[in-house]
Amino acid sequence: MALAISLGRRNLGQTSPNPSVGCVIVKNGVIVGRGCTAQTGRPHAETQALNQAGSKAKGATAYITLEPCSHEGKTPPCAHALVEAGIKRTVIAVLDPDERVNGQGISILEAAGIEVQVGVLEEQASLDHSGFFFTQIKSRPFVTLKLAASIDGKIATKEGDSKWITGASARHFVHNMRRQHDAIMVGSGTVISDDPSLNVRDLGECLQPARVILSSKLQIPEKSNLGKTVHEQPVWIFHSIDAPEERKKSWLEKGAQLFECPVDNFGISIKDVLQKLASKGITRLFCEGGGKLAASLIRSNYVDQIVTFHGGLTIGADGLPSIHDLGISSLTEAKRWRLDHTHSFGAEVLNIWHSVEKNSEN
């Protein structure tokens, strides 16, 4: 199952709106087939593993990170494919909450006399499939917030200079994380100050993530890198109802997609943005900046994972904070996070944190 999970991770961020599943088929202690969900979501992992195994699949055991699908779509149900191949036993990490499946895949297998075991490495598989689960259960994507800051938690000097707080190795890791998400989101301030491209570079061929910009008044410059490359990689701009009509027309003519959203006390409604992204098939969202957006996400309780990079430099109190005002007056109000992973890149340190609190509503 650990191998199946590692296979599924290969295409995280490349299979939207489908989950990236891993499958390993074993017979007499020998791996005879393996597969992961292909880019764009098809063929499924089970199909690829069964094709590789061929006739050796008969009497074998299939290790799968997610319950096999049981509904007719663009391809036949994987549960039926496992039955027809003569699989004797299936080991499944986690059930599929999709109402079209949700135990029905297992029922098909058991009705055919196949032994089924569920729950092996369930926690690891659930984290990898959380984006897919969230769109099914919460109508929003899994949200990762990335913060690149100095030792003292600043993302730029008082003049806005932020290149580069982290080194080349850390930035390469960030590109890999971008690849593992369906979309990248930033605020208009980041676009104006940094003019980012928000693409994946130096990792070979991959599906580029959609670029999501929150800009209430559509004040981002059309001559920015985003404007110049709108036909190469999707640009989705979320704005308020009173955004200037001429700005809407201009960005639409360039090829961007525009989404009108309500405004709350913190700006554009994060809840509405996330729901709209889920409806567009976005299951995993990577948020890169800046401090205002980070504060809005945390205040709204929509951050599931925080990835922090701390560079080996100090900027001082007059630098720009990585997270803006959260309105906290007591530590009892502060949201708690669990440290799951630490890694060093020379002078930089990477930490991956997950939310301690379980919030079924968000």
Side-chain angles (χ1 to χ4, degrees):
M1 184 61 77
L3 175 58
I5 288 174
S6 69
L7 288 171
R9 286 174 181 166
R10 290 182 180 181
N11 275 344
L12 276 177
Q14 302 288 297
T15 64
S16 172
N18 290 348
S20 184
V21 178
C23 177
V24 176
I25 298 175
V26 178
K27 187 171 186 179
N28 299 326
V30 177
I31 294 174
V32 295
R34 64 182 77 190
C36 63
T37 308
Q39 287 187 351
T40 72
R42 288 179 176 79
H44 290 181
E46 298 95 324
T47 300
Q48 297 192 70
L50 288 171
N51 286 341
Q52 190 178 97
S55 61
K56 295 178 181 178
K58 188 174 183 179
T61 297
Y63 296 84
I64 314 167
T65 63
L66 183 66
E67 179 184 2
C69 62
S70 57
H71 58 282
E72 289 282 351
K74 294 182 180 179
T75 56
C78 290
H80 288 317
L82 291 165
V83 172
E84 292 171 3
I87 290 292
K88 181 180 180 180
R89 176 171 173 257
T90 57
V91 181
I92 299 167
V94 62
L95 296 179
D96 187 343
D98 188 330
E99 61 182 12
R100 297 170 300 176
V101 186
N102 198 15
Q104 296 181 55
I106 289 177
S107 296
I108 291 172
L109 298 175
E110 290 180 334
I114 297 175
E115 178 187 347
V116 178
Q117 181 178 354
V118 180
V120 176
L121 297 185
E122 180 177 2
E123 185 174 352
Q124 293 180 37
S126 295
L127 179 60
D128 290 348
H129 294 314
S130 55
F132 174 69
F133 291 170
F134 279 22
T135 58
Q136 299 295 315
I137 300 170
K138 303 183 179 184
S139 298
R140 72 166 178 89
F142 179 86
V143 177
T144 298
L145 174 62
K146 189 266 295 187
L147 303 173
S150 61
I151 292 173
D152 51 342
K154 307 300 179 182
I155 59 173
T157 67
K158 62 181 179 180
E159 303 297 332
D161 184 15
S162 61
K163 295 184 178 180
W164 294 99
I165 286 178
T166 56
S169 295
R171 294 197 297 273
H172 181 79
F173 190 88
V174 169
H175 279 276
N176 188 57
M177 295 204 75
R178 285 180 176 180
R179 186 188 184 279
Q180 294 179 341
H181 290 75
D182 309 322
I184 303 171
M185 184 166 76
V186 299
S188 58
T190 297
V191 177
I192 293 170
S193 62
D194 295 347
D195 192 20
S197 296
L198 302 180
N199 56 8
V200 177
R201 301 188 291 274
D202 303 322
L203 290 175
E205 284 192 26
C206 67
L207 298 177
Q208 291 286 346
R211 297 172 292 183
V212 176
I213 317 301
L214 304 192
S215 182
S216 183
K217 306 294 184 182
L218 288 173
Q219 61 266 50
I220 53 178
E222 296 167 33
K223 294 183 179 179
S224 63
N225 283 324
L226 297 179
K228 295 174 183 176
T229 59
V230 67
H231 293 293
E232 301 172 14
Q233 187 180 347
V235 173
W236 298 349
I237 308 176
F238 291 75
H239 61 86
S240 63
I241 191 172
D242 56 353
E245 289 299 324
E246 64 272 18
R247 300 293 295 159
K248 294 181 187 178
K249 181 181 178 182
S250 181
W251 274 103
L252 286 171
E253 288 177 348
K254 289 191 74 69
Q257 292 191 49
L258 302 185
F259 302 83
E260 186 178 289
C261 298
V263 175
D264 56 28
N265 294 334
F266 309 125
I268 291 177
S269 168
I270 295 297
K271 179 179 181 179
D272 192 71
V273 170
L274 296 182
Q275 288 179 342
K276 283 182 168 67
L277 288 174
S279 71
K280 294 282 290 183
I282 301 301
T283 65
R284 295 171 58 83
L285 179 65
F286 195 55
C287 303
E288 291 208 39
K292 183 179 178 181
L293 174 59
S296 184
L297 285 164
I298 293 173
R299 276 187 143 186
S300 301
N301 202 24
Y302 285 123
V303 178
D304 305 298
Q305 176 177 256
I306 295 182
V307 178
T308 61
F309 293 87
H310 284 98
L313 73 165
T314 49
I315 294 177
D318 56 349
L320 302 180
S322 58
I323 302 173
H324 281 205
D325 179 23
L326 292 176
I328 293 173
S329 57
S330 168
L331 285 181
T332 58
E333 302 173 62
K335 183 173 176 61
R336 299 285 178 172
W337 302 87
R338 181 186 73 247
L339 179 62
D340 281 348
H341 182 74
T342 296
H343 187 75
S344 62
F345 300 90
E348 289 87 40
V349 177
L350 159 73
N351 291 313
I352 297 179
W353 307 78
H354 287 106
S355 175
V356 172
E357 303 163 11
K358 301 295 183 183
N359 192 319
S360 59
E361 180 182 351
N362 290 342

